[in-house]
Amino acid sequence: MNTHELFKMINQCVDELDFITARKYMEDNLDVVKAHKQYLQRNAQDLFEFVLNSDGKRLTQSEIKIIHAINDYAVHFNIRSFKSVVKEHAGLVSREDTLTYLNQDARALLESMHILPSSDDLS
């Protein structure tokens, strides 16, 4: 794929709100896109800035499944399973980018366990 086709595909994916495919194109051709980012539409440029600033700290599929399990245990108030998963994956729970994916129930339980600072402490 030549450079013109690459930028056309990225811009088209962003227009169609297919950000996953657009991001994949950007990550696979990072040097080319970085050198010629002026050919990206404005929304595609914003997505590219996000890709550059993410530092490769994306959540893996298994990490997403763990977060989903944590949220599910919290919703159903399954404390034993919740504590077990949190204990096994303490590093994942303590990451800042993970916090955005936790539901209110999980956050409340983590705050009560003093794993997260309470929302009162942040004010």
Side-chain angles (χ1 to χ4, degrees):
M1 175 182 317
N2 67 31
T3 306
H4 177 70
E5 291 174 6
L6 173 67
F7 286 101
K8 182 179 176 183
M9 290 299 297
I10 292 172
N11 288 328
Q12 181 180 353
C13 288
V14 171
D15 286 342
E16 295 171 358
L17 304 177
D18 185 6
F19 299 127
I20 295 171
T21 305
R23 183 176 180 161
K24 180 89 171 125
Y25 282 131
M26 289 176 187
E27 289 172 344
D28 290 346
N29 301 287
L30 194 59
D31 295 332
V32 174
V33 176
K34 193 182 292 186
H36 304 289
K37 71 179 183 179
Q38 70 270 13
Y39 296 120
L40 294 173
Q41 295 172 353
R42 182 68 193 147
N43 291 341
Q45 287 180 5
D46 291 341
L47 179 62
F48 184 63
E49 289 301 318
F50 175 79
V51 169
L52 286 178
N53 295 330
S54 67
D55 297 331
K57 295 180 183 176
R58 295 187 338 208
L59 294 173
T60 64
Q61 191 69 23
S62 62
E63 290 172 334
I64 292 170
K65 288 179 182 179
I66 293 165
I67 292 169
H68 178 69
I70 290 170
N71 287 334
D72 191 49
Y73 292 143
V75 167
H76 293 98
F77 209 66
N78 186 343
I79 301 299
R80 180 177 291 173
S81 298
F82 181 84
K83 284 184 175 182
S84 175
V85 171
V86 168
K87 184 178 180 182
E88 291 175 17
H89 304 284
L92 176 64
V93 174
S94 64
R95 285 176 41 184
E96 277 189 44
D97 57 338
T98 302
L99 298 178
T100 58
Y101 298 104
L102 294 174
N103 62 22
Q104 292 295 66
D105 296 323
R107 287 182 190 193
L109 287 173
L110 290 170
E111 287 174 5
S112 70
M113 296 168 61
H114 303 291
I115 294 173
L116 293 179
S118 66
S119 53
D120 297 336
D121 294 343
L122 297 176
S123 313

